[in-house]
Amino acid sequence: MAQVLKEEVRSRILEAAEKVFYKKDYRGAKLTEIAKEADIPVALIYTYFKNKEVLFDAVVSSVYINFESAFDEEESLEKGSASERFDEVGENYINELLKERKKLIILMDKSSGTKHTEAKYKLISQMQVHIEVSLKRQSKEEYDPMLAHILASNFTEGLLEIARHYQSEKWAKDMLKLIARCYYKGVESL
C-alpha cells in the first residue's frame, strides 16, 4: 500500500512539474510552484528528486530525442524512395513523439540552463546527417552541406510547430503528412 502511495505522489510531482515547466521553462519554474500544483509540501519533492534539474530530467527523459535509431532503420530499408521509407518508419516514430508534445516542447524550447540546452541543435544535426546520406543515395549531384542543414532545420521547426499548435491527433497526423509531402516532393505537390 505504501509503495502505491509513493508512486502516486511521484506521478503527481511529475505531472505538476510538466505543467509548470511547460508554462514557465526550466529557469522560470520554482519548486514551490511545482509543489503547490502537486498539492504537496515542497520538502516532499526532495524525497523523490535531488533537485530541480533531476526533476526536469525525469520529465523530459521519455522524449529525449535520439532519432539515430529511426534514421538507421529507415536507411536500412533497401527499397523505395526517401518518402516511401519515411512513410514506413519515420512517420510512425514522429506520431508517437507528438503524443508527448508538451514534453517535447519543454525539451526543445524550455531547457535553457540544463544539460539539454542543445537538444534542438542535436536533433537538427542528426537529421542533417540523415539527409546527407539520403542525398548521396539518391542523387548523382553533390550538394553543399548547408542544403542538408537548412532542410533539417526547417523539418525540425515544422515538427515543433505541429507540437506547439496541436489541435488533435488527426490534425497532427494530417499536418505531418502535408509537411512530409512538401519536404519530399515540393510545394507544387499540394
Side-chain angles (χ1 to χ4, degrees):
M1 181 71 167
Q3 185 63 30
V4 172
L5 289 176
K6 285 182 180 181
E7 281 305 310
E8 192 264 330
V9 170
R10 186 177 193 285
S11 293
R12 283 185 17 220
I13 293 169
L14 287 169
E15 287 172 22
E18 181 180 330
K19 285 180 186 176
V20 174
F21 288 136
Y22 183 77
K23 185 177 180 181
K24 296 208 168 187
D25 77 21
Y26 174 76
R27 288 188 174 166
K30 306 284 183 240
L31 289 178
T32 53
E33 296 167 317
I34 294 169
K36 184 177 179 182
E37 181 71 35
D39 196 27
I40 60 167
V42 72
L44 191 54
I45 292 175
Y46 292 103
T47 302
Y48 296 87
F49 304 97
K50 181 179 175 182
N51 55 39
K52 184 169 79 167
E53 188 166 2
V54 171
L55 176 55
F56 186 88
D57 290 347
V59 169
V60 300
S61 66
S62 65
V63 295
Y64 195 81
I65 304 303
N66 184 343
F67 273 87
E68 285 182 28
S69 58
F71 293 151
D72 289 345
E73 185 179 345
E74 192 176 309
E75 289 166 9
S76 73
L77 298 175
E78 294 183 23
K79 293 183 181 178
S81 66
S83 63
E84 291 168 335
R85 290 190 307 273
F86 174 79
D87 289 346
E88 190 170 326
V89 176
E91 184 178 1
N92 291 332
Y93 186 83
I94 292 173
N95 282 326
E96 286 302 309
L97 189 59
L98 286 170
K99 289 180 182 176
E100 296 198 75
R101 66 198 163 278
K102 287 186 177 181
K103 292 177 183 178
L104 176 64
I105 292 167
I106 292 167
L107 177 65
M108 295 292 170
D109 292 345
K110 299 173 181 278
S111 62
S112 182
T114 73
K115 66 183 179 187
H116 306 291
T117 300
E118 301 292 318
K120 186 191 313 187
Y121 303 107
K122 245 184 188 176
L123 172 57
I124 291 169
S125 178
Q126 289 175 334
M127 192 168 293
Q128 178 178 344
V129 169
H130 175 64
I131 291 169
E132 288 168 351
V133 167
S134 292
L135 285 172
K136 284 178 185 168
R137 182 179 186 175
Q138 289 192 235
S139 180
K140 292 177 179 146
E141 252 184 89
E142 195 169 311
Y143 294 98
D144 185 317
M146 183 53 72
L147 175 63
H149 175 76
I150 291 167
L151 292 172
S153 183
N154 287 340
F155 191 84
T156 300
E157 277 304 322
L159 169 63
L160 291 173
E161 282 298 297
I162 291 171
R164 291 176 191 128
H165 300 282
Y166 189 90
Q167 295 176 17
S168 69
E169 187 174 339
K170 181 188 179 328
W171 178 87
K173 285 181 177 182
D174 290 346
M175 289 303 295
L176 181 60
K177 282 188 180 298
L178 289 171
I179 288 172
R181 187 183 328 158
C182 288
Y183 177 76
Y184 287 109
K185 301 188 191 268
V187 175
E188 290 182 6
S189 71
L190 296 177

